Structures are given as structure tokens and as C-alpha cells.
PDB file of all heavy atoms in Angstrom:
ATOM      1  N   GLN A   1      20.364   9.393   3.554  1.00 69.00           N
ATOM      2  CA  GLN A   1      19.394   8.311   3.445  1.00 69.00           C
ATOM      3  C   GLN A   1      18.678   8.346   2.100  1.00 69.00           C
ATOM      4  O   GLN A   1      18.357   7.302   1.519  1.00 69.00           O
ATOM      5  CB  GLN A   1      18.390   8.446   4.585  1.00 69.00           C
ATOM      6  CG  GLN A   1      17.328   7.373   4.657  1.00 69.00           C
ATOM      7  CD  GLN A   1      16.386   7.639   5.818  1.00 69.00           C
ATOM      8  OE1 GLN A   1      15.739   8.666   5.910  1.00 69.00           O
ATOM      9  NE2 GLN A   1      16.315   6.698   6.728  1.00 69.00           N
ATOM     10  N   MET A   2      18.425   9.524   1.595  1.00 72.00           N
ATOM     11  CA  MET A   2      17.738   9.672   0.323  1.00 72.00           C
ATOM     12  C   MET A   2      18.562   9.098  -0.836  1.00 72.00           C
ATOM     13  O   MET A   2      18.039   8.785  -1.888  1.00 72.00           O
ATOM     14  CB  MET A   2      17.450  11.150   0.045  1.00 72.00           C
ATOM     15  CG  MET A   2      16.464  11.787   0.992  1.00 72.00           C
ATOM     16  SD  MET A   2      14.768  11.255   0.667  1.00 72.00           S
ATOM     17  CE  MET A   2      13.858  12.353   1.752  1.00 72.00           C
ATOM     18  N   LEU A   3      19.868   8.999  -0.616  1.00 82.00           N
ATOM     19  CA  LEU A   3      20.766   8.586  -1.678  1.00 82.00           C
ATOM     20  C   LEU A   3      21.230   7.136  -1.554  1.00 82.00           C
ATOM     21  O   LEU A   3      21.510   6.485  -2.567  1.00 82.00           O
ATOM     22  CB  LEU A   3      21.998   9.502  -1.703  1.00 82.00           C
ATOM     23  CG  LEU A   3      21.744  10.982  -1.952  1.00 82.00           C
ATOM     24  CD1 LEU A   3      23.024  11.769  -1.741  1.00 82.00           C
ATOM     25  CD2 LEU A   3      21.218  11.195  -3.356  1.00 82.00           C
ATOM     26  N   THR A   4      21.360   6.651  -0.320  1.00 91.00           N
ATOM     27  CA  THR A   4      22.049   5.372  -0.105  1.00 91.00           C
ATOM     28  C   THR A   4      21.222   4.290   0.570  1.00 91.00           C
ATOM     29  O   THR A   4      21.670   3.153   0.665  1.00 91.00           O
ATOM     30  CB  THR A   4      23.309   5.598   0.737  1.00 91.00           C
ATOM     31  OG1 THR A   4      22.938   6.108   2.024  1.00 91.00           O
ATOM     32  CG2 THR A   4      24.248   6.592   0.068  1.00 91.00           C
ATOM     33  N   GLN A   5      20.047   4.624   1.070  1.00 93.00           N
ATOM     34  CA  GLN A   5      19.280   3.643   1.840  1.00 93.00           C
ATOM     35  C   GLN A   5      18.892   2.425   1.009  1.00 93.00           C
ATOM     36  O   GLN A   5      18.476   2.546  -0.135  1.00 93.00           O
ATOM     37  CB  GLN A   5      18.010   4.295   2.386  1.00 93.00           C
ATOM     38  CG  GLN A   5      17.158   3.336   3.212  1.00 93.00           C
ATOM     39  CD  GLN A   5      16.151   4.084   4.018  1.00 93.00           C
ATOM     40  OE1 GLN A   5      16.449   4.580   5.092  1.00 93.00           O
ATOM     41  NE2 GLN A   5      14.958   4.209   3.483  1.00 93.00           N
ATOM     42  N   ARG A   6      19.026   1.258   1.632  1.00 96.00           N
ATOM     43  CA  ARG A   6      18.644   0.003   0.983  1.00 96.00           C
ATOM     44  C   ARG A   6      17.231  -0.401   1.378  1.00 96.00           C
ATOM     45  O   ARG A   6      16.802  -0.170   2.501  1.00 96.00           O
ATOM     46  CB  ARG A   6      19.615  -1.106   1.376  1.00 96.00           C
ATOM     47  CG  ARG A   6      20.796  -1.324   0.438  1.00 96.00           C
ATOM     48  CD  ARG A   6      21.515  -0.069   0.071  1.00 96.00           C
ATOM     49  NE  ARG A   6      22.577  -0.332  -0.914  1.00 96.00           N
ATOM     50  CZ  ARG A   6      23.279   0.606  -1.511  1.00 96.00           C
ATOM     51  NH1 ARG A   6      23.054   1.876  -1.265  1.00 96.00           N
ATOM     52  NH2 ARG A   6      24.215   0.282  -2.395  1.00 96.00           N
ATOM     53  N   GLY A   7      16.536  -1.030   0.438  1.00 97.00           N
ATOM     54  CA  GLY A   7      15.204  -1.545   0.705  1.00 97.00           C
ATOM     55  C   GLY A   7      15.270  -2.967   1.242  1.00 97.00           C
ATOM     56  O   GLY A   7      16.323  -3.625   1.206  1.00 97.00           O
ATOM     57  N   ALA A   8      14.144  -3.456   1.732  1.00 98.00           N
ATOM     58  CA  ALA A   8      14.083  -4.777   2.359  1.00 98.00           C
ATOM     59  C   ALA A   8      13.129  -5.694   1.600  1.00 98.00           C
ATOM     60  O   ALA A   8      12.070  -5.262   1.134  1.00 98.00           O
ATOM     61  CB  ALA A   8      13.624  -4.647   3.814  1.00 98.00           C
ATOM     62  N   SER A   9      13.497  -6.947   1.518  1.00 98.00           N
ATOM     63  CA  SER A   9      12.667  -7.967   0.880  1.00 98.00           C
ATOM     64  C   SER A   9      11.741  -8.615   1.898  1.00 98.00           C
ATOM     65  O   SER A   9      12.158  -8.935   3.012  1.00 98.00           O
ATOM     66  CB  SER A   9      13.559  -9.045   0.252  1.00 98.00           C
ATOM     67  OG  SER A   9      12.812 -10.195  -0.090  1.00 98.00           O
ATOM     68  N   ASN A  10      10.482  -8.837   1.508  1.00 98.00           N
ATOM     69  CA  ASN A  10       9.523  -9.496   2.403  1.00 98.00           C
ATOM     70  C   ASN A  10       9.342 -10.983   2.088  1.00 98.00           C
ATOM     71  O   ASN A  10       8.396 -11.614   2.572  1.00 98.00           O
ATOM     72  CB  ASN A  10       8.169  -8.790   2.361  1.00 98.00           C
ATOM     73  CG  ASN A  10       7.503  -8.875   0.987  1.00 98.00           C
ATOM     74  OD1 ASN A  10       7.932  -9.609   0.092  1.00 98.00           O
ATOM     75  ND2 ASN A  10       6.428  -8.106   0.808  1.00 98.00           N
ATOM     76  N   ALA A  11      10.249 -11.557   1.296  1.00 98.00           N
ATOM     77  CA  ALA A  11      10.082 -12.947   0.851  1.00 98.00           C
ATOM     78  C   ALA A  11       9.993 -13.917   2.023  1.00 98.00           C
ATOM     79  O   ALA A  11       9.192 -14.861   2.012  1.00 98.00           O
ATOM     80  CB  ALA A  11      11.227 -13.339  -0.082  1.00 98.00           C
ATOM     81  N   LYS A  12      10.804 -13.705   3.052  1.00 98.00           N
ATOM     82  CA  LYS A  12      10.790 -14.625   4.199  1.00 98.00           C
ATOM     83  C   LYS A  12       9.474 -14.541   4.950  1.00 98.00           C
ATOM     84  O   LYS A  12       8.900 -15.571   5.337  1.00 98.00           O
ATOM     85  CB  LYS A  12      11.957 -14.317   5.138  1.00 98.00           C
ATOM     86  CG  LYS A  12      12.046 -15.254   6.336  1.00 98.00           C
ATOM     87  CD  LYS A  12      13.221 -14.903   7.235  1.00 98.00           C
ATOM     88  CE  LYS A  12      13.273 -15.804   8.448  1.00 98.00           C
ATOM     89  NZ  LYS A  12      14.396 -15.437   9.363  1.00 98.00           N
ATOM     90  N   ALA A  13       8.978 -13.338   5.180  1.00 98.00           N
ATOM     91  CA  ALA A  13       7.699 -13.191   5.881  1.00 98.00           C
ATOM     92  C   ALA A  13       6.561 -13.825   5.086  1.00 98.00           C
ATOM     93  O   ALA A  13       5.643 -14.422   5.655  1.00 98.00           O
ATOM     94  CB  ALA A  13       7.402 -11.719   6.149  1.00 98.00           C
ATOM     95  N   LYS A  14       6.614 -13.700   3.774  1.00 98.00           N
ATOM     96  CA  LYS A  14       5.597 -14.346   2.944  1.00 98.00           C
ATOM     97  C   LYS A  14       5.681 -15.861   3.062  1.00 98.00           C
ATOM     98  O   LYS A  14       4.665 -16.553   3.200  1.00 98.00           O
ATOM     99  CB  LYS A  14       5.778 -13.921   1.482  1.00 98.00           C
ATOM    100  CG  LYS A  14       5.302 -12.522   1.171  1.00 98.00           C
ATOM    101  CD  LYS A  14       5.349 -12.272  -0.329  1.00 98.00           C
ATOM    102  CE  LYS A  14       4.543 -11.055  -0.706  1.00 98.00           C
ATOM    103  NZ  LYS A  14       4.473 -10.866  -2.168  1.00 98.00           N
ATOM    104  N   ARG A  15       6.891 -16.358   3.025  1.00 98.00           N
ATOM    105  CA  ARG A  15       7.105 -17.801   3.012  1.00 98.00           C
ATOM    106  C   ARG A  15       6.813 -18.437   4.371  1.00 98.00           C
ATOM    107  O   ARG A  15       6.163 -19.482   4.449  1.00 98.00           O
ATOM    108  CB  ARG A  15       8.554 -18.074   2.603  1.00 98.00           C
ATOM    109  CG  ARG A  15       8.929 -19.547   2.493  1.00 98.00           C
ATOM    110  CD  ARG A  15      10.347 -19.705   2.000  1.00 98.00           C
ATOM    111  NE  ARG A  15      11.338 -19.187   2.942  1.00 98.00           N
ATOM    112  CZ  ARG A  15      12.077 -18.093   2.741  1.00 98.00           C
ATOM    113  NH1 ARG A  15      11.927 -17.389   1.635  1.00 98.00           N
ATOM    114  NH2 ARG A  15      12.960 -17.697   3.652  1.00 98.00           N
ATOM    115  N   GLU A  16       7.264 -17.830   5.448  1.00 98.00           N
ATOM    116  CA  GLU A  16       7.206 -18.481   6.753  1.00 98.00           C
ATOM    117  C   GLU A  16       6.058 -18.002   7.638  1.00 98.00           C
ATOM    118  O   GLU A  16       5.609 -18.736   8.518  1.00 98.00           O
ATOM    119  CB  GLU A  16       8.539 -18.304   7.479  1.00 98.00           C
ATOM    120  CG  GLU A  16       9.703 -18.929   6.714  1.00 98.00           C
ATOM    121  CD  GLU A  16      11.007 -18.910   7.485  1.00 98.00           C
ATOM    122  OE1 GLU A  16      10.974 -18.742   8.721  1.00 98.00           O
ATOM    123  OE2 GLU A  16      12.064 -19.067   6.856  1.00 98.00           O
ATOM    124  N   LEU A  17       5.597 -16.778   7.427  1.00 98.00           N
ATOM    125  CA  LEU A  17       4.457 -16.274   8.207  1.00 98.00           C
ATOM    126  C   LEU A  17       3.150 -16.324   7.424  1.00 98.00           C
ATOM    127  O   LEU A  17       2.075 -16.179   8.009  1.00 98.00           O
ATOM    128  CB  LEU A  17       4.707 -14.834   8.660  1.00 98.00           C
ATOM    129  CG  LEU A  17       5.918 -14.564   9.554  1.00 98.00           C
ATOM    130  CD1 LEU A  17       5.972 -13.078   9.907  1.00 98.00           C
ATOM    131  CD2 LEU A  17       5.891 -15.419  10.804  1.00 98.00           C
ATOM    132  N   GLY A  18       3.242 -16.500   6.116  1.00 98.00           N
ATOM    133  CA  GLY A  18       2.049 -16.436   5.285  1.00 98.00           C
ATOM    134  C   GLY A  18       1.569 -15.017   5.077  1.00 98.00           C
ATOM    135  O   GLY A  18       0.380 -14.772   4.826  1.00 98.00           O
ATOM    136  N   PHE A  19       2.492 -14.057   5.137  1.00 98.00           N
ATOM    137  CA  PHE A  19       2.162 -12.644   5.018  1.00 98.00           C
ATOM    138  C   PHE A  19       1.883 -12.264   3.565  1.00 98.00           C
ATOM    139  O   PHE A  19       2.694 -12.519   2.676  1.00 98.00           O
ATOM    140  CB  PHE A  19       3.313 -11.802   5.556  1.00 98.00           C
ATOM    141  CG  PHE A  19       3.182 -10.326   5.360  1.00 98.00           C
ATOM    142  CD1 PHE A  19       2.064  -9.648   5.821  1.00 98.00           C
ATOM    143  CD2 PHE A  19       4.196  -9.594   4.738  1.00 98.00           C
ATOM    144  CE1 PHE A  19       1.941  -8.272   5.654  1.00 98.00           C
ATOM    145  CE2 PHE A  19       4.089  -8.221   4.571  1.00 98.00           C
ATOM    146  CZ  PHE A  19       2.961  -7.562   5.032  1.00 98.00           C
ATOM    147  N   THR A  20       0.716 -11.683   3.328  1.00 98.00           N
ATOM    148  CA  THR A  20       0.367 -11.151   2.010  1.00 98.00           C
ATOM    149  C   THR A  20      -0.209  -9.757   2.212  1.00 98.00           C
ATOM    150  O   THR A  20      -1.339  -9.602   2.684  1.00 98.00           O
ATOM    151  CB  THR A  20      -0.671 -12.036   1.297  1.00 98.00           C
ATOM    152  OG1 THR A  20      -0.165 -13.366   1.168  1.00 98.00           O
ATOM    153  CG2 THR A  20      -0.989 -11.481  -0.085  1.00 98.00           C
ATOM    154  N   PRO A  21       0.575  -8.704   1.921  1.00 98.00           N
ATOM    155  CA  PRO A  21       0.064  -7.359   2.176  1.00 98.00           C
ATOM    156  C   PRO A  21      -1.168  -7.031   1.341  1.00 98.00           C
ATOM    157  O   PRO A  21      -1.220  -7.335   0.147  1.00 98.00           O
ATOM    158  CB  PRO A  21       1.244  -6.447   1.814  1.00 98.00           C
ATOM    159  CG  PRO A  21       2.114  -7.270   0.928  1.00 98.00           C
ATOM    160  CD  PRO A  21       1.928  -8.688   1.340  1.00 98.00           C
ATOM    161  N   ARG A  22      -2.136  -6.422   1.977  1.00 98.00           N
ATOM    162  CA  ARG A  22      -3.321  -5.967   1.262  1.00 98.00           C
ATOM    163  C   ARG A  22      -2.941  -4.902   0.239  1.00 98.00           C
ATOM    164  O   ARG A  22      -3.524  -4.827  -0.849  1.00 98.00           O
ATOM    165  CB  ARG A  22      -4.327  -5.398   2.265  1.00 98.00           C
ATOM    166  CG  ARG A  22      -5.575  -4.799   1.633  1.00 98.00           C
ATOM    167  CD  ARG A  22      -6.429  -4.124   2.681  1.00 98.00           C
ATOM    168  NE  ARG A  22      -7.534  -3.380   2.094  1.00 98.00           N
ATOM    169  CZ  ARG A  22      -8.233  -2.440   2.728  1.00 98.00           C
ATOM    170  NH1 ARG A  22      -7.949  -2.146   3.994  1.00 98.00           N
ATOM    171  NH2 ARG A  22      -9.215  -1.811   2.130  1.00 98.00           N
ATOM    172  N   PHE A  23      -1.965  -4.083   0.606  1.00 98.00           N
ATOM    173  CA  PHE A  23      -1.460  -3.055  -0.304  1.00 98.00           C
ATOM    174  C   PHE A  23      -0.052  -3.465  -0.724  1.00 98.00           C
ATOM    175  O   PHE A  23       0.910  -3.238   0.017  1.00 98.00           O
ATOM    176  CB  PHE A  23      -1.443  -1.691   0.384  1.00 98.00           C
ATOM    177  CG  PHE A  23      -2.814  -1.214   0.787  1.00 98.00           C
ATOM    178  CD1 PHE A  23      -3.229  -1.284   2.107  1.00 98.00           C
ATOM    179  CD2 PHE A  23      -3.688  -0.708  -0.162  1.00 98.00           C
ATOM    180  CE1 PHE A  23      -4.494  -0.852   2.479  1.00 98.00           C
ATOM    181  CE2 PHE A  23      -4.961  -0.268   0.199  1.00 98.00           C
ATOM    182  CZ  PHE A  23      -5.366  -0.348   1.518  1.00 98.00           C
ATOM    183  N   PRO A  24       0.105  -4.069  -1.909  1.00 98.00           N
ATOM    184  CA  PRO A  24       1.408  -4.579  -2.327  1.00 98.00           C
ATOM    185  C   PRO A  24       2.470  -3.501  -2.489  1.00 98.00           C
ATOM    186  O   PRO A  24       3.657  -3.794  -2.403  1.00 98.00           O
ATOM    187  CB  PRO A  24       1.109  -5.254  -3.677  1.00 98.00           C
ATOM    188  CG  PRO A  24      -0.360  -5.524  -3.664  1.00 98.00           C
ATOM    189  CD  PRO A  24      -0.959  -4.417  -2.868  1.00 98.00           C
ATOM    190  N   SER A  25       2.049  -2.261  -2.737  1.00 98.00           N
ATOM    191  CA  SER A  25       3.013  -1.183  -2.867  1.00 98.00           C
ATOM    192  C   SER A  25       2.329   0.153  -2.598  1.00 98.00           C
ATOM    193  O   SER A  25       1.108   0.230  -2.440  1.00 98.00           O
ATOM    194  CB  SER A  25       3.633  -1.175  -4.272  1.00 98.00           C
ATOM    195  OG  SER A  25       2.760  -0.549  -5.193  1.00 98.00           O
ATOM    196  N   HIS A  26       3.142   1.206  -2.591  1.00 97.00           N
ATOM    197  CA  HIS A  26       2.610   2.558  -2.427  1.00 97.00           C
ATOM    198  C   HIS A  26       1.668   2.932  -3.564  1.00 97.00           C
ATOM    199  O   HIS A  26       0.823   3.808  -3.409  1.00 97.00           O
ATOM    200  CB  HIS A  26       3.770   3.556  -2.395  1.00 97.00           C
ATOM    201  CG  HIS A  26       4.450   3.712  -3.722  1.00 97.00           C
ATOM    202  ND1 HIS A  26       5.283   2.752  -4.248  1.00 97.00           N
ATOM    203  CD2 HIS A  26       4.382   4.706  -4.661  1.00 97.00           C
ATOM    204  CE1 HIS A  26       5.714   3.138  -5.431  1.00 97.00           C
ATOM    205  NE2 HIS A  26       5.193   4.315  -5.715  1.00 97.00           N
ATOM    206  N   ARG A  27       1.803   2.263  -4.712  1.00 96.00           N
ATOM    207  CA  ARG A  27       0.978   2.606  -5.864  1.00 96.00           C
ATOM    208  C   ARG A  27      -0.506   2.423  -5.552  1.00 96.00           C
ATOM    209  O   ARG A  27      -1.350   3.201  -5.995  1.00 96.00           O
ATOM    210  CB  ARG A  27       1.366   1.758  -7.071  1.00 96.00           C
ATOM    211  CG  ARG A  27       2.806   1.924  -7.506  1.00 96.00           C
ATOM    212  CD  ARG A  27       3.164   0.969  -8.631  1.00 96.00           C
ATOM    213  NE  ARG A  27       4.597   0.897  -8.849  1.00 96.00           N
ATOM    214  CZ  ARG A  27       5.298   1.786  -9.535  1.00 96.00           C
ATOM    215  NH1 ARG A  27       4.674   2.810 -10.095  1.00 96.00           N
ATOM    216  NH2 ARG A  27       6.611   1.653  -9.679  1.00 96.00           N
ATOM    217  N   GLU A  28      -0.830   1.368  -4.811  1.00 97.00           N
ATOM    218  CA  GLU A  28      -2.213   1.139  -4.391  1.00 97.00           C
ATOM    219  C   GLU A  28      -2.507   1.811  -3.047  1.00 97.00           C
ATOM    220  O   GLU A  28      -3.598   2.312  -2.805  1.00 97.00           O
ATOM    221  CB  GLU A  28      -2.491  -0.360  -4.253  1.00 97.00           C
ATOM    222  CG  GLU A  28      -2.272  -1.182  -5.513  1.00 97.00           C
ATOM    223  CD  GLU A  28      -0.832  -1.626  -5.684  1.00 97.00           C
ATOM    224  OE1 GLU A  28      -0.032  -1.456  -4.730  1.00 97.00           O
ATOM    225  OE2 GLU A  28      -0.497  -2.134  -6.769  1.00 97.00           O
ATOM    226  N   GLY A  29      -1.482   1.806  -2.178  1.00 98.00           N
ATOM    227  CA  GLY A  29      -1.710   2.249  -0.812  1.00 98.00           C
ATOM    228  C   GLY A  29      -1.902   3.736  -0.650  1.00 98.00           C
ATOM    229  O   GLY A  29      -2.834   4.180   0.039  1.00 98.00           O
ATOM    230  N   PHE A  30      -1.027   4.557  -1.247  1.00 98.00           N
ATOM    231  CA  PHE A  30      -1.146   6.001  -1.058  1.00 98.00           C
ATOM    232  C   PHE A  30      -2.508   6.526  -1.546  1.00 98.00           C
ATOM    233  O   PHE A  30      -3.173   7.271  -0.812  1.00 98.00           O
ATOM    234  CB  PHE A  30      -0.016   6.738  -1.780  1.00 98.00           C
ATOM    235  CG  PHE A  30       1.346   6.601  -1.135  1.00 98.00           C
ATOM    236  CD1 PHE A  30       2.471   7.114  -1.761  1.00 98.00           C
ATOM    237  CD2 PHE A  30       1.512   5.982   0.097  1.00 98.00           C
ATOM    238  CE1 PHE A  30       3.732   7.008  -1.177  1.00 98.00           C
ATOM    239  CE2 PHE A  30       2.753   5.858   0.693  1.00 98.00           C
ATOM    240  CZ  PHE A  30       3.866   6.375   0.040  1.00 98.00           C
ATOM    241  N   PRO A  31      -2.948   6.183  -2.750  1.00 97.00           N
ATOM    242  CA  PRO A  31      -4.266   6.671  -3.178  1.00 97.00           C
ATOM    243  C   PRO A  31      -5.395   6.205  -2.273  1.00 97.00           C
ATOM    244  O   PRO A  31      -6.353   6.953  -2.023  1.00 97.00           O
ATOM    245  CB  PRO A  31      -4.411   6.115  -4.595  1.00 97.00           C
ATOM    246  CG  PRO A  31      -3.009   5.899  -5.066  1.00 97.00           C
ATOM    247  CD  PRO A  31      -2.260   5.461  -3.849  1.00 97.00           C
ATOM    248  N   ALA A  32      -5.310   4.968  -1.782  1.00 97.00           N
ATOM    249  CA  ALA A  32      -6.367   4.461  -0.898  1.00 97.00           C
ATOM    250  C   ALA A  32      -6.427   5.241   0.402  1.00 97.00           C
ATOM    251  O   ALA A  32      -7.503   5.576   0.917  1.00 97.00           O
ATOM    252  CB  ALA A  32      -6.144   2.974  -0.622  1.00 97.00           C
ATOM    253  N   VAL A  33      -5.263   5.577   0.956  1.00 97.00           N
ATOM    254  CA  VAL A  33      -5.214   6.287   2.227  1.00 97.00           C
ATOM    255  C   VAL A  33      -5.747   7.705   2.094  1.00 97.00           C
ATOM    256  O   VAL A  33      -6.437   8.210   2.983  1.00 97.00           O
ATOM    257  CB  VAL A  33      -3.754   6.297   2.759  1.00 97.00           C
ATOM    258  CG1 VAL A  33      -3.607   7.292   3.911  1.00 97.00           C
ATOM    259  CG2 VAL A  33      -3.350   4.899   3.218  1.00 97.00           C
ATOM    260  N   PHE A  34      -5.434   8.347   0.977  1.00 95.00           N
ATOM    261  CA  PHE A  34      -5.822   9.747   0.795  1.00 95.00           C
ATOM    262  C   PHE A  34      -7.048   9.944  -0.094  1.00 95.00           C
ATOM    263  O   PHE A  34      -7.353  11.066  -0.501  1.00 95.00           O
ATOM    264  CB  PHE A  34      -4.633  10.540   0.251  1.00 95.00           C
ATOM    265  CG  PHE A  34      -3.543  10.727   1.271  1.00 95.00           C
ATOM    266  CD1 PHE A  34      -2.471   9.846   1.313  1.00 95.00           C
ATOM    267  CD2 PHE A  34      -3.600  11.749   2.192  1.00 95.00           C
ATOM    268  CE1 PHE A  34      -1.467   9.998   2.264  1.00 95.00           C
ATOM    269  CE2 PHE A  34      -2.598  11.905   3.127  1.00 95.00           C
ATOM    270  CZ  PHE A  34      -1.534  11.035   3.176  1.00 95.00           C
ATOM    271  N   GLY A  35      -7.756   8.856  -0.373  1.00 89.00           N
ATOM    272  CA  GLY A  35      -9.002   8.959  -1.109  1.00 89.00           C
ATOM    273  C   GLY A  35      -8.853   9.341  -2.555  1.00 89.00           C
ATOM    274  O   GLY A  35      -9.791   9.847  -3.166  1.00 89.00           O
ATOM    275  N   ALA A  36      -7.654   9.045  -3.125  1.00 66.00           N
ATOM    276  CA  ALA A  36      -7.432   9.415  -4.517  1.00 66.00           C
ATOM    277  C   ALA A  36      -7.619   8.253  -5.458  1.00 66.00           C
ATOM    278  O   ALA A  36      -7.458   8.390  -6.671  1.00 66.00           O
ATOM    279  CB  ALA A  36      -6.001   9.971  -4.695  1.00 66.00           C
TER     280      ALA A  36
END
């Protein structure tokens, strides 16, 4: 999995559900979760 796993696009959820993540990526999310 570390070598071959594919990522997923959220374009459909954004378009049809109106989904906008508060944390667009781990870059913002990980520090926020761990207080960094």
C-alpha cells in the first residue's frame, strides 16, 4: 500500500454536495490537531 495506493479526488463532492473541507490538506490539519 505504501508503494502503490492511489489517492481519491473530491471534485464530485465539492460540486454536487457543496463540500469544502475546513482542512484542505494534512499541511493545515496535522499541526492543528496536535497543537503545532
Side-chain angles (χ1 to χ4, degrees):
Q1 182 181 59
M2 294 286 188
L3 299 172
T4 62
Q5 180 165 277
R6 267 48 184 173
S9 166
N10 64 10
K12 182 180 178 182
K14 284 188 164 185
R15 182 176 65 250
E16 299 187 18
L17 300 181
F19 173 55
T20 302
R22 176 187 172 197
F23 297 103
S25 80
H26 70 286
R27 300 175 193 280
E28 301 86 10
F30 288 174
V33 167
F34 289 95

